[in-house]
Amino acid sequence: MLLDLADTYVEQNRKPNKALSLLQGRTVINLFFESSTRTRTSFELAGKRLGADVINMSVSTSSIKKGETLIDTAMTLNAMHTDVLVVRHSESGAVKLLSEKVNCAVMNAGDGSHEHPTQALLDALTIRRRRGKLQGLTVAICGDVLHSRVARSNILLLHTMGARVRVIGPPTLLPSAIDRFGVEVFHDMREGLADCDIVMMLRLQTERMQGRYVPSVREYFHFFGLDREKLAVAREDALVMHPGPMNRGVEIDSELADDINRSVIREQVEMGVAVRMAAIDLLTRDLVGNAA
Amino acid sequence: MSKYRTAYLNARLIDPSSGLDAPGGLLAEDGAIADLGAGLFADGVPDGAEVVDCGGMVLAPGLVDIRVQLRDPGHEHMEDIGSAGLAAAAGGVTTMVCLPNTEPVIDNVAVLEFVARRAREVKLAKIHCYAATTRGMKGNELTEFGLLGEAGAVAFTDAETAIADAKTMQRALSYASTFGHIIMQHPEEPALCDGGAMNSGEIASRLGLSGLPPVAEVIMIERDLRLVEATGGRWHAAHVSTAAGVEAIRQAKERGLKVTCDTAPHYFALNEVAVGDYRTFAKVRPPLRGEDDRQAIVEGLRDGTIDAIASDHSPHDQDSKRLPFAQAAFGIIGLETLLPLTLELYHNKHLPLSDALALITSKPADLLDLKAGRLAKGAAADLVLIAPDRPWKIDEEAFRSKSKNSPFDGRPVQGHALRTVVDGRAIFIHGNEG
């Protein structure tokens, strides 16, 4: 499966010569309607290391006439015989809409508050390499679940893989009916983190706050920010994760984030490239013209 | 000059308001119903009359659809009075009441008269207009209720916009009572709905879409009911969609308040599951709700709390709907599906046929004091001949409407119009379209 394949790419990526020629002559386009550094770079590296031609297109949402251009842009790229379109968009469902209009492979690099599948896969890979399994682990996802596509994809994936998933946050930052996602819901960090194997922090989307979801950053960090004291109730060897970019001192204590004994945040980034290589590899295997 | 007569033979006459449901015939003479009854043509058909053999099918009053957006003037590429008229005719609708959210807004006598004149020229279904409650539907200054009423406005509404300001609503109700006019509210507390795209709940959360919470409806209804009590004004809630909303109106009616409400077919024929994987044709406001709410709407129709069914016909072109879900326009077209979807209430054994038809004929007509929706001597010969059980499949390609935004495409239904008659003149004959 995908995670096993990704494991082999982790090793490949640690070699001095990382280049493969699997996708030679193939074209991968990163079509980003929303700004991103790490995800776009990660996809770019993944494509290049597989030997594909990778082109980055950043389309600032403010300069386009919204969805009309979304479809137009996709049709244009499609007409150029693109093999893989990697798409990020600020609207939930935009990637799905686009995928209906093109005949190349489309990968979701994050759509609105909906999903971010490769992030969940890289998180799963990180956990599995550290713990050897996902089944039976208790994973707490903490913070701004409401706006988080990372949380939604992780809940789906971890739940499917047999992990026990908890979400922790103030009710204003949890989506309605979250209890129907097969998760346990907590509003208190100490209760929610008790005996957890994995603590997954989410970025507080401060740009959407304006006193509407939580009154202040200060209050938020006091009750929901991860620090050593709160982490102490989790299992002794509990791992700390964060999809990035972090707000240090908002959802996570800065020094804790850098603690290589607890935090696997940098490892997540490394796994990201491997997972995306595996995903692109698998998606292009049944393309017309591939002998293998 | 000899009279223009049509004799409808061998019909099952259903007149919901009088309770008539019997075999018989009907004679239309110069646009009006001259006579009807069981033994009407026992002595033969009058000389020179055109004969329509109804073949035992249902002859009922033409449908009265009290919530239609014509898009004319202003957005004629989505719909115009002509295309809406054809859609209405095919759907068995003989009277439509259009919302004032045209461009320009129907908030003054000149625009109102323009629409009325266009309707007369088109000569399909009859068209009445609401006028806006506030100028430009901006929620502040009242329009000229008295003058607009004299010019033909049948009630006042800001269409798809709630009158959010309590003082404005209080004044509107109070001032409208001078003339006995109805204020029709879009019951939704806007502060709770900012940015929302579909019903709040599990599905919205899974799709990552902002929610339109059901509670926004009942909050606005309950506020308005207090204002109705205080002012004595007439008030109507459009497209009620939630269990709590229906219950609030049920209790208000029990208390004796003169309030009414309608719903649209999609609120009893669909629930939020229809949104599926971001289907923008199922994006509508108020949104498709949960299954409990859908069942409560059916119950409200059964027990009479809900006074009428209106199509809430809202045409939108491809460009408005082929967008990421949150950016797509709200609205569903409904003129051509009002009849079969309402008949689902009958086929699913929620209502007798006559009661189901009452919700789209006499009851909406009575609600707005329209002279329509009845089979009675002297009444206009606005009729629809219905094959109530005939199965067919809704097909967006066959819609006469310029817009195709219906979530019902492909739905198997039963019952459709065979012939639609306005003032004695057939404006639609099934299978006989040019």
Side-chain angles (χ1 to χ4, degrees), chain B residues 15-99:
Chain B
D15 179 44
S17 65
S18 66
L20 170 70
D21 183 352
L26 183 145
L27 180 66
E29 199 169 86
D30 284 346
I33 297 173
D35 206 353
L36 74 163
L40 182 59
F41 301 115
D43 303 329
V45 175
D47 281 348
E50 183 196 349
V51 173
V52 176
D53 185 341
C54 299
M57 293 294 153
V58 171
L59 189 64
L63 273 47
V64 178
D65 187 349
I66 61 167
R67 201 171 164 86
V68 174
Q69 298 184 45
L70 290 177
R71 300 275 183 262
D72 183 357
H75 295 97
E76 293 87 347
H77 66 289
M78 297 186 185
E79 196 79 291
D80 61 30
I81 290 173
S83 62
L86 290 171
V93 175
T94 55
T95 299
M96 319 186 246
V97 187
C98 75
L99 290 175

Side-chain angles (χ1 to χ4, degrees), chain B residues 22-370:
Chain B
L26 183 145
L27 180 66
E29 199 169 86
D30 284 346
I33 297 173
D35 206 353
L36 74 163
L40 182 59
F41 301 115
D43 303 329
V45 175
D47 281 348
E50 183 196 349
V51 173
V52 176
D53 185 341
C54 299
M57 293 294 153
V58 171
L59 189 64
L63 273 47
V64 178
D65 187 349
I66 61 167
R67 201 171 164 86
V68 174
Q69 298 184 45
L70 290 177
R71 300 275 183 262
D72 183 357
H75 295 97
E76 293 87 347
H77 66 289
M78 297 186 185
E79 196 79 291
D80 61 30
I81 290 173
S83 62
L86 290 171
V93 175
T94 55
T95 299
M96 319 186 246
V97 187
C98 75
L99 290 175
N101 59 344
T102 47
E103 202 176 307
V105 172
I106 304 176
D107 61 359
N108 62 72
V109 172
V111 184
L112 186 72
E113 287 180 342
F114 169 83
V115 175
R117 181 168 55 82
R118 287 274 295 127
R120 280 195 303 275
E121 288 166 6
V122 168
K123 282 189 179 167
L124 290 163
K126 293 172 180 172
I127 295 179
H128 298 276
C129 292
Y130 297 108
T133 310
T134 64
R135 281 182 212 270
M137 304 189 303
K138 291 196 167 73
N140 307 313
E141 304 164 60
L142 302 184
T143 57
E144 296 165 331
F145 294 174
L147 293 173
L148 283 159
E150 283 183 355
V154 296
F156 294 82
T157 180
D158 279 358
E160 296 175 293
T161 312
I163 296 186
D165 182 64
K167 191 78 194 172
T168 304
M169 182 50 105
Q170 184 193 37
R171 289 212 172 106
L173 285 165
S174 178
Y175 184 67
S177 69
T178 317
F179 310 100
H181 290 321
I182 296 169
I183 302 296
M184 188 176 276
Q185 174 72 300
H186 167 80
E188 180 182 78
E189 169 50 57
L192 288 170
C193 296
D194 189 28
M198 71 169 290
N199 190 41
S200 299
E202 183 185 352
I203 295 178
S205 293
R206 284 191 186 277
L207 293 175
L209 294 170
S210 293
L212 295 160
V215 73
E217 179 170 291
V218 71
I219 285 175
M220 190 55 91
I221 288 174
E222 287 182 338
R223 182 204 76 174
D224 278 6
L225 290 172
R226 296 288 168 184
L227 296 173
V228 169
E229 243 170 339
T231 59
R234 291 174 75 188
W235 176 90
H236 176 94
H239 47 215
V240 174
S241 66
T242 64
V246 174
E247 182 56 29
I249 291 167
R250 184 178 287 126
Q251 288 178 15
K253 286 183 166 187
E254 281 167 9
R255 290 207 306 275
L257 286 185
K258 281 187 181 157
V259 297
T260 50
C261 66
D262 70 74
T263 193
H266 33 271
Y267 301 116
F268 60 79
L270 293 176
N271 64 27
E272 60 185 345
V273 174
V275 171
D277 217 356
Y278 302 101
R279 282 188 72 203
T280 58
F281 278 9
K283 184 180 179 185
V284 62
R285 196 158 184 165
L288 302 177
R289 303 289 189 185
E291 177 58 16
D292 290 351
D293 286 317
R294 188 196 69 80
Q295 289 181 18
I297 297 302
V298 172
E299 188 50 37
L301 289 162
R302 279 166 55 93
D303 73 7
T305 301
I306 300 173
D307 300 273
I309 298 169
S311 73
D312 216 353
H313 184 75
S314 308
H316 287 288
D317 58 8
Q318 286 270 354
D319 292 347
S320 313
K321 285 289 195 182
R322 238 177 51 168
L323 291 170
F325 198 87
Q327 294 171 354
F330 290 99
I332 290 174
I333 55 167
L335 278 167
E336 293 172 73
T337 50
L338 175 63
L339 178 61
L341 294 172
T342 300
L343 289 177
E344 287 187 359
L345 295 167
Y346 157 64
H347 293 298
N348 294 337
K349 301 189 169 44
H350 296 306
L351 286 173
L353 180 56
S354 179
D355 291 359
L357 290 173
L359 289 160
I360 46 176
T361 57
S362 56
K363 290 178 94 177
D366 292 352
L367 201 156
L368 293 173
D369 305 321
L370 303 175

Side-chain angles (χ1 to χ4, degrees), chain A residues 91-92 96 114 152 175-176 180, chain B residues 201-202 205-206 208 277-278 326:
Chain A
E91 292 287 352
S92 302
K96 164 79 165 53
H114 179 223
R152 282 171 180 77
S176 71
R180 308 211 6 207
Chain B
E202 183 185 352
S205 293
R206 284 191 186 277
D277 217 356
Y278 302 101

